[in-house]
Amino acid sequence: MEIVVIVGTGCAGLTAALYAARANLRPLVLTGKQPGGLLTTTSTVENFPGFPDGIEGCELMMRLQKQAEKFGARVQFGTLEAAGLKQRPLTLTIDGEEVQTETLIIATGASHRHLEVPGEHLLENKGVTYCATCDGALPIFRNKDLVVVGGGDSACEEALYLTRFGSTIHLVHRRDSLRASKVMSDRVKANPKIRPVWDSVVTEVLDVKQDKVTGVRLKNVKTQEENVLECSGVFVAVGHIPNTTLFKEALDLDPAGYIIPKKGAATNIPGVFVAGDCSDRVYRQAVTAAGMGCAAAIEAERYLESLNE
Ligand SMILES: Cc1cc2nc3c(=O)[nH]c(=O)nc-3n(C[C@H](O)[C@H](O)[C@H](O)COP(=O)(O)OP(=O)(O)OC[C@H]3O[C@@H](n4cnc5c(N)ncnc54)[C@H](O)[C@@H]3O)c2cc1C
């Protein structure tokens, strides 16, 4: 019987592991298919507190894992395949094997939606990115023409944020008006650095041969006309998919699939806690995920104490 199982080794999972381990709970921590989580897919992280010169995403996550292991966290390569949360003890299926646990911390993150067009994957981190807050300030984007793809609040926020760095921000949207809230749309329309490109979709990111982003191929969905828009960066903001499918029968999820915390990091099932991007549709940052991981571990510890009272 495990005391605490933590699903995920991103910032949320490993911070939860650090706190649970320091509380002598010897958590079992599952890596899933992406050990170290999303930050391992980026180069320099410049906004994690304590690193004035920035730190490579992989290096940060390796250090965080080492820190958690130092206090007794047991990090295991493994994927949660099923979770029986409706009876006690909680029963997990990990790579085909059943494991029982008193508490569970879910820190499975959220994946970004891709455009699924040629060039997108090959040029990821070479000009294609999914997070303006994370990457917008990088030198390759400064004073350059940039493209943001999307028409919701996130896309508008990304475009507005990028006006601090880029020269012109082309906001490419498949419709002829934004889906975003009125206040966001108004801000975007009032900003002279943002140029909406209506009724258009990106059909290719250029240029794989040069190994960097030089532009996007666009198609007008009304006229079917194609043209190339030159740019140095493509910020994809077409939504996120929280990794929560396994929990949809048992836990309260919002319509987009994010786990709804009941109070703090607790969920609607006693002993099951949540942290990080799988329950955060607003901030989705490394430091907020880490903070939520800390909260989840402290709450798990208090829950276990309450069982012994
Ligand atoms: C390109 C890029 C650059 C970024 N740069 C920055 C930055 O500079 N600064 C910043 O603050 N934020 C940045 N972010 C955002 C940051 O990476 C996320 O906010 C953060 O990683 C969220 O942490 P998390 O622990 O919630 O989830 P994740 O990091 O997504 O980790 C999820 C973990 O859950 C595991 N998992 C999922 N399903 C299962 C399962 N069934 N079984 C077992 N394990 C499972 C995965 O393998 C993974 O280990 C960036 C994001 C991207 C994509």
Side-chain angles (χ1 to χ4, degrees), residues 113-117 120-121 128 130 149 202 205 234 236-238:
R113 276 184 212 278
H114 293 92
L115 298 173
E116 304 298 354
V117 298
E120 181 188 17
H121 290 292
V128 175
Y130 300 84
V149 189
V202 172
V205 182
V234 179
V236 181
V238 293

Side-chain angles (χ1 to χ4, degrees), residues 140-170:
I140 55 166
F141 300 126
R142 289 192 181 246
N143 303 313
K144 299 280 170 46
D145 272 26
L146 304 174
V147 161
V148 173
V149 189
D153 278 332
S154 298
C156 290
E157 264 177 41
E158 304 270 283
L160 287 163
Y161 184 75
L162 288 170
T163 57
R164 301 173 197 191
F165 311 107
S167 46
T168 300
I169 316 301
H170 306 271

Side-chain angles (χ1 to χ4, degrees), residues 286-305:
V287 69
T288 47
M292 293 162 88
C294 155
I298 291 176
E299 292 200 23
E301 189 190 343
R302 288 183 183 162
Y303 170 81
L304 287 162
E305 270 170 15

